[in-house]
Amino acid sequence: MAAMARARGLMSSAVRARCLALCTSSTSSRSTAPAAVRLHHQQQQQVLWGQRRALSTQQEQDPQAGDPMAWTQLQTTAVARGCKNVQDVLSALRGVDASFRVGDETTWGSVDKALQASGLNCEMKLGLAHDILGLDGRLSTVRPASAAVLMHVAKRCTDTPALAVSAQYSLGVLTLEGQGMERDPEAAIKFFGEASKQGHALSMYQLANMFLTGNGIKKDPPKAAQLLKLAVDRGLAQASTTLAEMYRVGHGVPQDNDLSFHYYQDAVDKGDPWAKVGIATMYNSGHGTEQNFDKAFQLNKEAAAEADIPLAHHNLGTHYFLGKGVQQSFEQARKCFEKAAGQGFAHSCFNLANMYMQGRGCEQDLAAARALYERAAHEIPDARELIAKIDQLQNPEQQQDDK
């Protein structure tokens, strides 16, 4: 009991300092590379073919491993699309393995030849590429096989530019991620660049991300900002959000709270839940707009409900903890921090640990606090000091012996 009491005294100021800092600058943990973090999330969301499943170790070792019914399913869908030489197409696709590179004319050439004789129009061929991707997790060669089909569409369907551009974008994503095939950022830059020249907003967005992170190309935040502005002009909501973050912190553009708020609002109007988290930060701080905790709370609540964004859950926890924009409730704060901590958000782990130290919104539990500090320590150096203090509280006799 004495250790518990000392823990409460120890943590009273630490809890307040951490929560207050995060309430007024809720995205501070991303300020060193704000757009890169934001874009990483959106990259995951913008792949055209839906959710992806990881390949098993067995599949990675054996190119033909996986569900044998998957090829049968692909045959059925190819026939349904009107493929005249389905066996030739499938045979060519079976020859594509994880070592395939987009520039490999030998492997791609066999697929190209089979598809030219398939009788499928460009739209059906693009659909076939997405049919193949729909087998992700069932065949280890899904991505390279799909890439081979997409290469055909990109090169042979120039008379239908929209389909060729869509294929180029998809190839960019595949070569950038490299899951199930060799990763090739330089090829991704080429594909995104070609599609961007045709006015493809998502390709501009992805290319901007690469300029921001230096992924396969020299970092160039101003160039990224130029590409994002072009994507914004074409109505891409997440481009507005990223540009808002860049203006908020002055990354690649002059720092400008008014422009930051403008672009956040544009993205909110277009339906991007991440923008709601960003603009809520500005309502919290009063930068670029009048301070309004009620509106900040509501925006974070909407973003958490719409997209389960860890930062939104964390910010809600901070609102509940401080009673800003909502009635104070340590129990509700704990629940919100738990949701974000469950997704690996370090600052929520830290705040939740503080609450277990204090016994606020929960029973005091030093062991639980210590475990949460361990999870937060990779991002928050203060956590290590608090772990040491918990160890000292729990083992005072050992500490005395060490002296």
Side-chain angles (χ1 to χ4, degrees), residues 103-164:
D104 184 349
E105 293 290 341
T106 302
T107 306
W108 174 74
S110 63
V111 175
D112 180 51
K113 182 179 179 180
L115 287 173
Q116 287 191 71
S118 68
L120 296 173
N121 62 28
C122 289
E123 184 177 0
M124 288 299 175
K125 290 171 182 176
L126 186 60
L128 180 63
H130 289 177
D131 291 339
I132 296 169
L133 284 165
L135 300 173
D136 205 353
R138 297 177 63 189
L139 292 175
S140 63
T141 56
V142 158
R143 288 170 177 267
S146 179
V149 178
L150 290 167
M151 276 295 297
H152 171 87
V153 176
K155 285 184 173 289
R156 306 297 182 194
C157 296
T158 54
D159 56 336
T160 52
L163 295 177

Side-chain angles (χ1 to χ4, degrees), residues 78 88 101 120 131 188 223 243 255-256 327 366:
D88 291 342
R101 293 181 67 88
L120 296 173
D131 291 339
K223 178 66 175 178
L243 200 54
Q255 199 281 330
D256 190 322
Q327 184 175 351
L366 297 185

Side-chain angles (χ1 to χ4, degrees), residues 223-298:
K223 178 66 175 178
Q226 292 174 12
L227 286 163
L228 290 169
K229 287 177 182 177
L230 291 173
V232 168
D233 291 342
R234 286 158 178 78
L236 193 64
Q238 58 265 39
S240 294
T241 303
T242 303
L243 200 54
E245 294 186 358
M246 294 177 73
Y247 275 111
R248 184 176 65 83
V249 299
H251 185 68
V253 292
Q255 199 281 330
D256 190 322
N257 288 326
D258 291 337
L259 277 176
S260 177
F261 186 86
H262 165 78
Y263 282 113
Y264 274 135
Q265 187 62 61
D266 179 62
V268 168
D269 293 342
K270 292 173 181 173
D272 185 4
W274 276 87
K276 292 183 177 182
V277 180
I279 203 168
T281 300
M282 306 198 79
Y283 278 115
N284 260 328
S285 65
H287 293 153
T289 188
E290 291 186 9
Q291 193 172 56
N292 189 329
F293 293 121
D294 292 346
K295 197 157 190 176
F297 173 81
Q298 185 60 37

Side-chain angles (χ1 to χ4, degrees), residues 52-364:
R52 301 160 292 171
R53 289 175 287 180
L55 300 173
S56 67
T57 303
Q58 178 186 9
Q59 288 175 314
E60 291 173 354
Q61 294 173 346
D62 180 1
Q64 296 303 327
D67 183 356
M69 295 300 294
W71 286 108
T72 302
Q73 180 179 330
L74 184 58
Q75 177 178 333
T76 301
T77 57
V79 170
R81 289 188 178 278
C83 184
K84 296 178 181 179
N85 61 339
V86 65
Q87 293 303 327
D88 291 342
V89 170
L90 292 180
S91 178
L93 291 173
R94 284 179 182 271
V96 180
D97 60 26
S99 64
F100 169 77
R101 293 181 67 88
V102 171
D104 184 349
E105 293 290 341
T106 302
T107 306
W108 174 74
S110 63
V111 175
D112 180 51
K113 182 179 179 180
L115 287 173
Q116 287 191 71
S118 68
L120 296 173
N121 62 28
C122 289
E123 184 177 0
M124 288 299 175
K125 290 171 182 176
L126 186 60
L128 180 63
H130 289 177
D131 291 339
I132 296 169
L133 284 165
L135 300 173
D136 205 353
R138 297 177 63 189
L139 292 175
S140 63
T141 56
V142 158
R143 288 170 177 267
S146 179
V149 178
L150 290 167
M151 276 295 297
H152 171 87
V153 176
K155 285 184 173 289
R156 306 297 182 194
C157 296
T158 54
D159 56 336
T160 52
L163 295 177
V165 167
S166 179
Q168 288 170 337
Y169 170 76
S170 297
L171 281 165
V173 173
L174 285 173
T175 52
L176 180 61
E177 293 183 341
Q179 295 181 12
M181 60 185 289
E182 291 193 35
R183 187 171 180 274
D184 192 345
E186 292 184 2
I189 291 169
K190 176 183 175 182
F191 289 124
F192 289 141
E194 288 298 320
S196 294
K197 292 177 184 177
Q198 303 301 315
H200 192 258
L202 277 173
S203 293
M204 295 172 184
Y205 180 80
Q206 295 285 15
L207 195 56
N209 184 29
M210 298 182 78
F211 276 115
L212 283 168
T213 60
N215 187 0
I217 197 169
K218 184 179 179 181
K219 283 186 178 181
D220 191 342
K223 178 66 175 178
Q226 292 174 12
L227 286 163
L228 290 169
K229 287 177 182 177
L230 291 173
V232 168
D233 291 342
R234 286 158 178 78
L236 193 64
Q238 58 265 39
S240 294
T241 303
T242 303
L243 200 54
E245 294 186 358
M246 294 177 73
Y247 275 111
R248 184 176 65 83
V249 299
H251 185 68
V253 292
Q255 199 281 330
D256 190 322
N257 288 326
D258 291 337
L259 277 176
S260 177
F261 186 86
H262 165 78
Y263 282 113
Y264 274 135
Q265 187 62 61
D266 179 62
V268 168
D269 293 342
K270 292 173 181 173
D272 185 4
W274 276 87
K276 292 183 177 182
V277 180
I279 203 168
T281 300
M282 306 198 79
Y283 278 115
N284 260 328
S285 65
H287 293 153
T289 188
E290 291 186 9
Q291 193 172 56
N292 189 329
F293 293 121
D294 292 346
K295 197 157 190 176
F297 173 81
Q298 185 60 37
L299 285 162
N300 277 307
K301 186 177 180 180
E302 291 173 8
E306 292 170 13
D308 197 27
I309 299 171
L311 182 56
H313 289 299
H314 173 83
N315 290 345
L316 286 175
T318 305
H319 278 284
Y320 278 116
F321 189 93
L322 297 172
K324 291 189 174 182
V326 67
Q327 184 175 351
Q328 188 178 52
S329 171
F330 293 138
E331 182 179 357
Q332 288 298 323
R334 173 182 57 79
K335 291 179 179 178
C336 292
F337 288 141
E338 284 176 343
K339 287 181 180 178
Q343 297 181 59
F345 197 73
H347 286 284
S348 286
C349 292
F350 188 92
N351 283 7
L352 194 57
N354 289 345
M355 297 186 76
Y356 275 111
M357 284 284 283
Q358 284 279 56
R360 291 192 178 187
C362 56
E363 292 291 327
Q364 191 177 46

